[in-house]
Structures are given as structure tokens and as C-alpha cells.
Amino acid sequence: MNADHPDTSSGTGGWTSPESRPDDVSRETSNAGWVASTPDDRDHHREALKSSVPEVDEDTPLAAQLALDARRRIELDGRRFPRPESTRIITVANQKGGVGKTTTTVNVAAGLARAGLKVLVIDNDPQGNASTALGLEHRAGTPSIYEVLVENEPIESAVQACPDVDGLWGVPATIDLSGAEIELVSLVSRETRLRKALDRYLEDRVSRGEERIDYVFVDCPPSLGLLTVNAFVTGREVLIPIQCEYYALEGLSQLLKTIELIKAHLNPELVVSTILLTMYDGRTNLAQQVAAEVRQHFPDQTLRTTVPRSVRISEAPSYGQTVMTYDPGSTGALAYLEAAREMAEHTVERADLR
Ligand code: ADP
Ligand code: MG
């Protein structure tokens, strides 16, 4: 544990597949220890439990964090998120490296799946970090997004179920993808290949009678090349993770300009729907200033939930896991689950950035 960044863990945060805990039957939660028979009862119990968590002095950050985690655990345990009206396709982008794109992609995706939704992650970054975190096979030669983009293979031939999370699938990226940026240049409809492949996959699933996918996330490389352009043409929404540090906003205007160009020429539906502040340390003035500035510019898009710096979050990928399964009761897992809930419950069309 990092002394500067308390990363609390419940120890009782284990969770079972949402399928095994449908909303409308009696059940007992391991965390909160209550039994409730209807959704209304459960809301009532949640409120009672939350009000039993003592108020704490904001000057004691550890106590405050523990109280916040306790409330979140009560609020989120076993909760199912609403299904969107149609499949939401979300591109996670920021041309800066190391701002939390991949971490956000896999953890929000796992959070939504944990809450009962069907989620697909497309790893569109040659580094393959999302594939690693989701526990997907991605050795050279494994059917991957490269074959989909460059060789016209159907997505179905590359999809893998995530071993640890029910309702979560992924299309891996292998080392082959590092050549795709150049190979794509000479191919026909080079900007729309991913979109066509995904639209076909989603339609085929439904016509085969398989369950609809609720969310698709496309993880992008830290550049604005053809792989990212394909991701922007595929997505109907963009999620931008912003790291709360110096120069956080630098480069954002370039990103927004690129998105406007894509919108004007290739994908008129595209909107920046969501901004998530990552690696946030509320005790530093800098993080607070960056957060305030982002919220001032993008009040409708910025999620209320911020993701703290968390040792657990950064450890999880080396075990081929998201933090949702690696340490589901930890501060970081709860923050990502809360962010996922905000995204799922934000049903209103978000205003565009223009
Ligand atoms: P990107 O995909 O934008 O390049 P990553 O998601 O790979 O960024 O994150 C960069 C590094 O920061 C990774 O090592 C990741 O484990 C770590 N990291 C991301 N988010 C957090 C967090 N909230 N707390 C601690 N480490 C984090
Ligand atoms: Mg990444």
C-alpha cells in the first residue's frame, strides 16, 4: 500500500456474476449483510445503511476515503445498471500516452458487465495493453483486430470471452497491428473498415438470435493516425480520460479539432459525451485546479466521479485482470464502478462540445 494514497480494501468485496443475482429475487449481500425482497426494499435498506456511516471531518483524508468507500459499497453492491436503448459505441481517446485510456476502457467495461450488461472491448492499440488486462490471448498469430482491419476477417472470428467477467468480451490486438497504420494507407475505405466490421458483427449477432451487446468500447493508441481515425469513425461517442497534472489540457484542443474534422467528413453522429478525470489526488492544489478548469469548460461531459491514483489499479494488469476482479472492494474499483454507473444512468443526450 502506498502511504500517500490510501487504497482501502474491503476484504469482503467479492462479487458473484450478476446473472446469479437477478434484481427481483431475495438475496443476501456479503458486504452489507441485509436481506431485501424488492427493489424498493433494497433502496430503503441502502439509504438506512448509508446514513449509518458516520460523517467525518474532511481534514482527515483517510477517514473520509473510508467513509466514501463504505457508502459506495452499500450503494453499488449487486446493483444492476439500466440497459441503453440501443448499443452504445464509445471510443476512448486522448493522443497523450499514459493518461489512463486503457485502464479506463477495461475497468469501465468490466464495471458495466459486473452490473449485468453485455460489453465488448476492441483493443485497437498495437501495445495490446487492454488485451493483457482483460486476460485475452494475444500472442502473434492469434486472430485479432489486425485481421479484421487489414484482411477483412469478420470480428466474430477474433472475439474472445473474458475469462474472469461474465458478459464481457474482447477483440485482442497482437504485435501485427503495429504494421497496420502503414498497411491501411493503401487499402480501400481505409477510414471506415472498423465501423463496417463492427456494424456487421452487431447486426449478425441479433439476426442469429444472440443477446444484444449493450456497450462497445474501442481503446485507442496515443496518436491520431489511421487506427485512431477508424476508432472515431466507429464510435458514436468519445470518452476522453484526462490525467490531473501539468499540461493536462495541452493537446486537448488538437484532439477536439480532429474530432470536429471526423464529424464533418466521416461521422456526423460523433459526440464527445464523457470526460473522466483520472489519477486524481484531491489533496493537491494542482489536481483541484485542473479538475476545476476541465469542469468549467465541459460541465455536461465531465463525470462527477474522479478516479484516484491507486496501487491496486496499476497492479491488476500484471495479473491479467481488471481491478474489478483483482480487488473489487478497493477504492479504485469502487471509483471505476461508480463512473460506469454514471455513464449508464446518463440517459439524456449529452450536449456536444461545440
Ligand atoms: P494510456 O492507455 O492512456 O496510455 P494507461 O491506462 O495504460 O494509459 O495508464 C498508464 C499507466 O498508469 C499504467 O501503468 C497504469 O497502470 C497506470 N494507471 C492508470 N490509472 C491509474 C490509477 N488510477 N492509479 C494508478 N495507476 C494508474
Ligand atoms: Mg493504452
Side-chain angles (χ1 to χ4, degrees):
M1 176 167 311
N2 182 332
D4 287 342
H5 304 286
D7 196 1
T8 58
S9 177
S10 70
T12 57
W15 53 279
T16 52
S17 144
E19 271 75 15
S20 64
R21 314 195 307 193
D23 242 354
D24 54 358
V25 295
S26 305
R27 58 179 176 70
E28 187 166 9
T29 71
S30 55
N31 282 346
W34 47 263
V35 182
S37 48
T38 67
D40 276 356
D41 276 359
R42 277 209 302 282
D43 282 343
H44 184 73
H45 279 277
R46 282 189 212 277
E47 286 313 313
L49 277 169
K50 270 195 295 180
S51 59
S52 72
V53 178
E55 293 298 326
V56 289
D57 180 354
E58 291 297 315
D59 293 339
T60 56
L62 180 59
Q65 187 64 59
L66 288 168
L68 175 67
D69 284 358
R71 284 200 196 90
R72 277 194 173 148
R73 222 170 275 134
I74 295 162
E75 186 62 35
L76 293 167
D77 183 63
R79 190 182 278 279
R80 292 172 79 88
F81 299 162
R83 292 188 78 192
E85 271 178 26
S86 56
T87 304
R88 288 177 69 181
I89 306 173
I90 302 174
T91 293
V92 184
N94 188 328
Q95 78 276 30
K96 283 187 156 198
V99 297
K101 287 183 290 300
T102 302
T103 307
T104 296
T105 302
V106 300
N107 288 302
V108 169
L112 291 166
R114 169 178 168 172
L117 300 172
K118 307 284 175 215
V119 187
L120 174 70
V121 172
I122 296 180
D123 189 351
N124 203 35
D125 180 352
Q127 291 181 66
N129 294 338
S131 307
T132 304
L134 295 174
L136 304 176
E137 177 60 61
H138 63 115
R139 277 179 293 193
T142 309
S144 68
I145 198 63
Y146 172 83
E147 285 78 7
V148 172
L149 281 168
V150 178
E151 297 174 356
N152 277 329
E153 290 293 327
I155 284 191
E156 201 194 334
S157 65
V159 170
Q160 297 176 33
C162 275
D164 299 314
V165 184
D166 284 342
L168 182 58
W169 293 268
V171 179
T174 63
I175 189 75
D176 290 334
L177 194 62
S178 50
E181 201 74 73
I182 292 166
E183 290 176 73
L184 277 169
V185 174
S186 58
L187 297 180
V188 286
S189 57
R190 58 189 179 187
E191 295 98 349
T192 55
R193 297 174 79 84
L194 183 60
R195 181 180 180 124
K196 285 180 183 149
L198 180 65
D199 286 354
R200 195 170 69 204
Y201 172 72
L202 294 174
E203 281 165 23
D204 285 354
R205 269 187 75 104
V206 174
S207 58
R208 281 197 302 266
E210 289 172 29
E211 227 179 329
R212 192 195 74 191
I213 299 275
D214 297 307
Y215 283 84
V216 178
F217 289 91
V218 186
D219 188 26
C220 284
S223 60
L224 295 174
L226 272 174
L227 286 173
T228 299
V229 168
N230 263 278
F232 280 145
V233 174
T234 303
R236 311 310 198 253
E237 300 175 41
V238 184
L239 188 174
I240 305 177
I242 293 180
Q243 190 183 347
C244 297
E245 47 137 58
Y246 280 117
Y247 312 123
L249 298 175
E250 215 175 68
L252 197 58
S253 59
Q254 197 198 342
L255 178 62
L256 296 177
K257 249 184 246 161
T258 304
I259 293 170
E260 283 309 314
L261 278 173
I262 302 276
K263 213 175 144 133
H265 299 286
L266 293 162
N267 184 7
E269 290 169 85
L270 192 65
V271 291
V272 175
S273 66
T274 312
I275 291 177
L276 178 61
L277 300 168
T278 63
M279 298 182 237
Y280 180 76
D281 182 352
R283 292 166 302 168
T284 70
N285 287 336
L286 175 65
Q288 282 177 12
Q289 281 163 15
V290 171
E293 203 172 334
V294 171
R295 287 187 195 286
Q296 189 193 342
H297 280 91
F298 311 111
D300 296 330
Q301 290 83 8
T302 312
L303 297 182
R304 286 189 308 278
T305 311
T306 54
V307 177
R309 212 171 253 290
S310 143
V311 177
R312 291 302 200 207
I313 289 177
S314 59
E315 281 171 352
S318 51
Y319 296 88
Q321 291 191 36
T322 66
V323 76
M324 292 297 162
T325 53
Y326 177 64
D327 191 351
S330 64
T331 302
L334 290 166
Y336 266 119
L337 190 56
E338 179 71 29
R341 176 189 178 190
E342 258 195 82
M343 287 182 67
E345 292 187 348
H346 205 110
T347 47
V348 206
E349 279 287 295
R350 283 171 181 273
D352 196 1
L353 286 180
R354 280 179 309 168

